[in-house]
Amino acid sequence: MQTAIIFDMDGTLFQTDLILERALEQTFEHLRGNGLWSGRTPIETYRRIMGVPLNVVWETLCPVHSAEIREQSNQHFQVALINEIEKGNGALYAGVERTLQKLSEKYPLYIASNGETAYLQAIMERYRLNRWIKKCYSIDQIESKDKSHLVEHIMNEQSVHCGYMIGDRASDINAAIHNKLTSIAVNFDFAQLGEIRHANFIVNQFPDIFNIVMHEPLGV
């Protein structure tokens, strides 16, 4: 059994905000071009729900569309996101690489994300996160599409008995509570204080995570 640190990806390690608008605009332009959407792209709606499973995203953004159209829209969106990543239009948050490096010297690091596998792999490859992250897990692997269950799966597969869950949304904090992990919330782009107020710790800069992990006892 081991102590580990599990990270969310979007809005925690990766600045999804830098590529989100372009990818979503491309997707809804495709819908408009096919007579399936009129009006502006619902970017603000997506910002509010960022972090929920993708099936919920498309049910929310396209409430009157068929499941087939939603799936096609998501596929178009995923391709657009990956293209933006490969073009170098995204970025990690300040201090992520150095902090991951230092943390990995003491703990195994994992990712638990609501993002799709191909999208996560594009980020992992672009920023060579495998230097520090032992394995990246997608919600695709969990039938329930529940992040609490994804984190539970990671802990079982990796023989993790305690540690930290780090993220920016309610699903991350709930996953920590469900799995008896210490929660650290990052108050970045998509974070909402109403969702993260129950975290054990809240940080405004990524490097502050290192100080908490190194100096605070688990189970605070």
Side-chain angles (χ1 to χ4, degrees), residues 9-116:
M9 177 68 89
D10 289 313
T12 299
L13 300 179
F14 183 66
Q15 295 187 60
T16 317
D17 199 44
L18 297 178
I19 65 172
L20 175 65
E21 184 170 340
R22 279 188 289 262
L24 204 61
E25 188 62 49
Q26 291 172 42
T27 303
F28 277 83
E29 185 60 34
H30 175 75
L31 287 171
R32 283 188 286 264
N34 286 279
L36 297 169
W37 187 265
S38 61
R40 300 175 62 184
T41 299
I43 292 170
E44 290 307 315
T45 300
Y46 193 19
R47 290 182 190 279
R48 289 195 296 271
I49 63 172
M50 187 70 187
V52 303
L54 284 165
N55 63 309
V56 178
V57 166
W58 291 104
E59 288 169 4
T60 304
L61 296 184
C62 298
V64 300
H65 293 71
S66 67
E68 181 181 5
I69 295 300
R70 291 173 186 163
E71 178 58 29
Q72 291 174 1
S73 299
N74 180 56
Q75 291 174 2
H76 195 96
F77 182 54
Q78 295 300 314
V79 169
L81 285 172
I82 291 170
N83 286 340
E84 292 295 324
I85 293 166
E86 291 176 346
K87 291 176 184 176
N89 291 330
L92 300 176
Y93 283 100
V96 164
E97 292 185 280
R98 178 60 178 153
T99 304
L100 292 182
Q101 177 188 342
K102 292 194 295 183
L103 290 172
S104 69
E105 294 170 359
K106 185 172 178 60
Y107 297 107
L109 310 182
Y110 303 99
I111 288 174
S113 173
N114 283 333
E116 291 193 355

Side-chain angles (χ1 to χ4, degrees), residues 3 15 18 25 35 46-47 74 87 92 96-97 106 128 138 141 143 146 148 155 170 178 195 205 208 210 212 215:
T3 301
Q15 295 187 60
L18 297 178
E25 188 62 49
Y46 193 19
R47 290 182 190 279
N74 180 56
K87 291 176 184 176
L92 300 176
V96 164
E97 292 185 280
K106 185 172 178 60
R128 299 167 56 217
S138 166
Q141 299 170 249
E143 185 176 354
D146 186 319
S148 294
M155 293 178 69
H178 176 85
E195 292 189 10
Q205 299 179 70
D208 291 342
F210 180 79
I212 292 171
H215 300 113

Side-chain angles (χ1 to χ4, degrees), residues 147-165:
K147 182 169 275 191
S148 294
H149 296 159
L150 177 60
V151 171
E152 182 179 356
H153 169 70
I154 295 171
M155 293 178 69
N156 289 335
E157 184 171 285
Q158 300 296 339
S159 299
V160 173
H161 75 284
C162 67
Y164 300 85
M165 176 69 213

Side-chain angles (χ1 to χ4, degrees), residues 146-209:
D146 186 319
K147 182 169 275 191
S148 294
H149 296 159
L150 177 60
V151 171
E152 182 179 356
H153 169 70
I154 295 171
M155 293 178 69
N156 289 335
E157 184 171 285
Q158 300 296 339
S159 299
V160 173
H161 75 284
C162 67
Y164 300 85
M165 176 69 213
I166 300 172
D168 68 322
R169 300 307 297 261
S171 60
D172 302 306
I173 310 309
N174 291 337
I177 294 170
H178 176 85
N179 292 287
K180 297 180 172 58
L181 298 172
T182 296
S183 56
I184 302 176
V186 295
N187 189 22
F188 299 161
D189 295 321
F190 301 113
Q192 299 178 22
L193 286 175
E195 292 189 10
I196 64 175
R197 68 183 187 278
H198 297 302
N200 296 115
F201 302 96
I202 297 176
V203 300
N204 295 309
Q205 299 179 70
F206 198 87
D208 291 342
I209 293 169

